[in-house]
Amino acid sequence: MKVEIKSIVASSFGFPFVGDENFKADHIAGLSEASENCLTFYRGDDLQKLAEIKVGILLINIELKGKITDFSAKAVVFCDHPKYQWIKV
């Protein structure tokens, strides 16, 4: 399911992030339905899979900070409980 939102940027979460701080996601979606303009989350720790996820803003576990060097998302936000942060939006 795709849910439209007012534009949100990676820096608005207040967590560390990498990538384009000015990219504006315009909807949220689950990972299986994600597109390049959306905000989604990933709960796993497979760095190869993370590198292949092409979305706008990707929320991932803060424990992966410093481990991810290659990513296809426009911005990656490191946070506690990525799914919870996604639901809050």
Side-chain angles (χ1 to χ4, degrees):
M1 178 173 73
K2 173 181 166 181
V3 177
E4 290 187 28
I5 57 173
K6 293 184 179 182
S7 295
I8 190 164
V9 295
S11 60
S12 67
F13 286 93
F15 293 106
F17 66 91
V18 293
D20 182 356
E21 71 177 290
N22 296 313
F23 175 79
K24 295 178 181 173
D26 60 11
H27 66 281
I28 62 171
L31 188 57
S32 64
E33 300 170 335
S35 70
E36 292 187 12
N37 291 328
C38 82
L39 165 71
T40 193
F41 71 98
Y42 177 66
R43 290 187 290 187
D45 60 1
D46 182 338
L47 298 180
Q48 179 63 37
K49 179 161 178 83
L50 280 170
E52 298 170 358
I53 299 173
K54 293 182 181 182
V55 297
I57 301 173
L58 180 62
L59 303 171
I60 65 172
N61 194 299
I62 197 160
E63 293 175 2
L64 297 173
K65 186 175 184 280
K67 295 180 182 178
I68 183 170
T69 57
D70 186 27
F71 56 93
S72 298
K74 299 210 178 3
V76 177
V77 177
F78 302 97
C79 58
D80 292 320
H81 312 291
K83 184 177 181 180
Y84 174 73
Q85 297 300 325
W86 179 78
I87 291 169
K88 279 178 55 176
V89 172

